[in-house]
PDB file of all heavy atoms in Angstrom:
ATOM      1  N   THR B 394     -31.375   1.779  29.907  1.00 98.00           N
ATOM      2  CA  THR B 394     -32.578   2.555  30.182  1.00 98.00           C
ATOM      3  C   THR B 394     -33.825   1.796  29.753  1.00 98.00           C
ATOM      4  O   THR B 394     -33.749   0.648  29.308  1.00 98.00           O
ATOM      5  CB  THR B 394     -32.505   3.931  29.477  1.00 98.00           C
ATOM      6  OG1 THR B 394     -33.591   4.754  29.926  1.00 98.00           O
ATOM      7  CG2 THR B 394     -32.577   3.811  27.963  1.00 98.00           C
ATOM      8  N   ARG B 395     -34.969   2.446  29.922  1.00 98.00           N
ATOM      9  CA  ARG B 395     -36.210   1.830  29.457  1.00 98.00           C
ATOM     10  C   ARG B 395     -36.304   1.957  27.939  1.00 98.00           C
ATOM     11  O   ARG B 395     -35.792   2.916  27.352  1.00 98.00           O
ATOM     12  CB  ARG B 395     -37.412   2.519  30.110  1.00 98.00           C
ATOM     13  CG  ARG B 395     -37.494   2.291  31.616  1.00 98.00           C
ATOM     14  CD  ARG B 395     -38.906   2.580  32.136  1.00 98.00           C
ATOM     15  NE  ARG B 395     -39.291   3.958  31.969  1.00 98.00           N
ATOM     16  CZ  ARG B 395     -38.989   4.947  32.816  1.00 98.00           C
ATOM     17  NH1 ARG B 395     -38.269   4.680  33.910  1.00 98.00           N
ATOM     18  NH2 ARG B 395     -39.372   6.169  32.597  1.00 98.00           N
ATOM     19  N   HIS B 396     -37.009   1.019  27.335  1.00 97.00           N
ATOM     20  CA  HIS B 396     -37.114   0.992  25.879  1.00 97.00           C
ATOM     21  C   HIS B 396     -37.680   2.287  25.323  1.00 97.00           C
ATOM     22  O   HIS B 396     -37.211   2.813  24.311  1.00 97.00           O
ATOM     23  CB  HIS B 396     -37.968  -0.208  25.456  1.00 97.00           C
ATOM     24  CG  HIS B 396     -37.878  -0.529  23.993  1.00 97.00           C
ATOM     25  ND1 HIS B 396     -38.810  -0.126  23.083  1.00 97.00           N
ATOM     26  CD2 HIS B 396     -36.935  -1.194  23.288  1.00 97.00           C
ATOM     27  CE1 HIS B 396     -38.466  -0.556  21.883  1.00 97.00           C
ATOM     28  NE2 HIS B 396     -37.329  -1.215  21.980  1.00 97.00           N
ATOM     29  N   GLU B 397     -38.678   2.856  26.005  1.00 97.00           N
ATOM     30  CA  GLU B 397     -39.312   4.065  25.443  1.00 97.00           C
ATOM     31  C   GLU B 397     -38.410   5.290  25.561  1.00 97.00           C
ATOM     32  O   GLU B 397     -38.504   6.210  24.737  1.00 97.00           O
ATOM     33  CB  GLU B 397     -40.697   4.325  26.069  1.00 97.00           C
ATOM     34  CG  GLU B 397     -40.688   4.901  27.472  1.00 97.00           C
ATOM     35  CD  GLU B 397     -40.725   3.823  28.556  1.00 97.00           C
ATOM     36  OE1 GLU B 397     -40.385   2.655  28.264  1.00 97.00           O
ATOM     37  OE2 GLU B 397     -41.074   4.167  29.703  1.00 97.00           O
ATOM     38  N   ILE B 398     -37.520   5.299  26.547  1.00 98.00           N
ATOM     39  CA  ILE B 398     -36.583   6.431  26.657  1.00 98.00           C
ATOM     40  C   ILE B 398     -35.540   6.346  25.544  1.00 98.00           C
ATOM     41  O   ILE B 398     -35.229   7.342  24.886  1.00 98.00           O
ATOM     42  CB  ILE B 398     -35.920   6.451  28.048  1.00 98.00           C
ATOM     43  CG1 ILE B 398     -36.978   6.761  29.122  1.00 98.00           C
ATOM     44  CG2 ILE B 398     -34.776   7.470  28.099  1.00 98.00           C
ATOM     45  CD1 ILE B 398     -36.464   6.707  30.553  1.00 98.00           C
ATOM     46  N   LEU B 399     -35.035   5.147  25.309  1.00 98.00           N
ATOM     47  CA  LEU B 399     -34.082   4.962  24.213  1.00 98.00           C
ATOM     48  C   LEU B 399     -34.732   5.342  22.877  1.00 98.00           C
ATOM     49  O   LEU B 399     -34.119   6.015  22.036  1.00 98.00           O
ATOM     50  CB  LEU B 399     -33.584   3.510  24.169  1.00 98.00           C
ATOM     51  CG  LEU B 399     -32.616   3.164  23.030  1.00 98.00           C
ATOM     52  CD1 LEU B 399     -31.367   4.035  23.074  1.00 98.00           C
ATOM     53  CD2 LEU B 399     -32.212   1.682  23.090  1.00 98.00           C
ATOM     54  N   THR B 400     -35.981   4.936  22.710  1.00 97.00           N
ATOM     55  CA  THR B 400     -36.701   5.261  21.474  1.00 97.00           C
ATOM     56  C   THR B 400     -36.842   6.773  21.304  1.00 97.00           C
ATOM     57  O   THR B 400     -36.593   7.315  20.213  1.00 97.00           O
ATOM     58  CB  THR B 400     -38.091   4.584  21.481  1.00 97.00           C
ATOM     59  OG1 THR B 400     -37.917   3.174  21.631  1.00 97.00           O
ATOM     60  CG2 THR B 400     -38.838   4.851  20.180  1.00 97.00           C
ATOM     61  N   SER B 401     -37.230   7.471  22.383  1.00 97.00           N
ATOM     62  CA  SER B 401     -37.342   8.944  22.311  1.00 97.00           C
ATOM     63  C   SER B 401     -36.018   9.568  21.898  1.00 97.00           C
ATOM     64  O   SER B 401     -35.971  10.484  21.072  1.00 97.00           O
ATOM     65  CB  SER B 401     -37.713   9.529  23.680  1.00 97.00           C
ATOM     66  OG  SER B 401     -38.973   9.108  24.076  1.00 97.00           O
ATOM     67  N   PHE B 402     -34.949   9.074  22.493  1.00 96.00           N
ATOM     68  CA  PHE B 402     -33.615   9.597  22.176  1.00 96.00           C
ATOM     69  C   PHE B 402     -33.280   9.381  20.698  1.00 96.00           C
ATOM     70  O   PHE B 402     -32.816  10.281  20.005  1.00 96.00           O
ATOM     71  CB  PHE B 402     -32.569   8.916  23.067  1.00 96.00           C
ATOM     72  CG  PHE B 402     -31.145   9.230  22.694  1.00 96.00           C
ATOM     73  CD1 PHE B 402     -30.620  10.493  22.938  1.00 96.00           C
ATOM     74  CD2 PHE B 402     -30.333   8.272  22.113  1.00 96.00           C
ATOM     75  CE1 PHE B 402     -29.300  10.802  22.597  1.00 96.00           C
ATOM     76  CE2 PHE B 402     -29.011   8.564  21.770  1.00 96.00           C
ATOM     77  CZ  PHE B 402     -28.502   9.827  22.016  1.00 96.00           C
ATOM     78  N   GLN B 403     -33.546   8.158  20.229  1.00 95.00           N
ATOM     79  CA  GLN B 403     -33.210   7.845  18.834  1.00 95.00           C
ATOM     80  C   GLN B 403     -34.064   8.645  17.853  1.00 95.00           C
ATOM     81  O   GLN B 403     -33.646   8.915  16.726  1.00 95.00           O
ATOM     82  CB  GLN B 403     -33.380   6.340  18.581  1.00 95.00           C
ATOM     83  CG  GLN B 403     -32.312   5.502  19.304  1.00 95.00           C
ATOM     84  CD  GLN B 403     -32.512   4.009  19.116  1.00 95.00           C
ATOM     85  OE1 GLN B 403     -33.645   3.541  18.961  1.00 95.00           O
ATOM     86  NE2 GLN B 403     -31.426   3.254  19.148  1.00 95.00           N
ATOM     87  N   GLU B 404     -35.275   9.017  18.296  1.00 93.00           N
ATOM     88  CA  GLU B 404     -36.117   9.834  17.416  1.00 93.00           C
ATOM     89  C   GLU B 404     -35.662  11.292  17.401  1.00 93.00           C
ATOM     90  O   GLU B 404     -35.791  11.986  16.395  1.00 93.00           O
ATOM     91  CB  GLU B 404     -37.591   9.727  17.849  1.00 93.00           C
ATOM     92  CG  GLU B 404     -38.195   8.399  17.392  1.00 93.00           C
ATOM     93  CD  GLU B 404     -39.524   8.059  18.045  1.00 93.00           C
ATOM     94  OE1 GLU B 404     -39.995   8.843  18.884  1.00 93.00           O
ATOM     95  OE2 GLU B 404     -40.082   6.991  17.704  1.00 93.00           O
ATOM     96  N   ALA B 405     -35.136  11.761  18.528  1.00 92.00           N
ATOM     97  CA  ALA B 405     -34.726  13.168  18.631  1.00 92.00           C
ATOM     98  C   ALA B 405     -33.314  13.404  18.096  1.00 92.00           C
ATOM     99  O   ALA B 405     -33.012  14.471  17.568  1.00 92.00           O
ATOM    100  CB  ALA B 405     -34.799  13.632  20.085  1.00 92.00           C
ATOM    101  N   PHE B 406     -32.452  12.420  18.240  1.00 89.00           N
ATOM    102  CA  PHE B 406     -31.068  12.567  17.801  1.00 89.00           C
ATOM    103  C   PHE B 406     -30.716  11.423  16.859  1.00 89.00           C
ATOM    104  O   PHE B 406     -31.099  10.290  17.101  1.00 89.00           O
ATOM    105  CB  PHE B 406     -30.098  12.506  18.997  1.00 89.00           C
ATOM    106  CG  PHE B 406     -30.260  13.639  19.959  1.00 89.00           C
ATOM    107  CD1 PHE B 406     -31.092  13.514  21.060  1.00 89.00           C
ATOM    108  CD2 PHE B 406     -29.591  14.835  19.763  1.00 89.00           C
ATOM    109  CE1 PHE B 406     -31.242  14.566  21.951  1.00 89.00           C
ATOM    110  CE2 PHE B 406     -29.743  15.882  20.648  1.00 89.00           C
ATOM    111  CZ  PHE B 406     -30.567  15.746  21.753  1.00 89.00           C
TER     112      PHE B 406
END
Side-chain angles (χ1 to χ4, degrees):
Chain B
T394 189
R395 293 199 296 276
H396 194 261
E397 76 268 20
I398 293 176
L399 178 59
T400 302
S401 295
F402 172 72
Q403 290 177 330
E404 283 166 359
F406 295 93

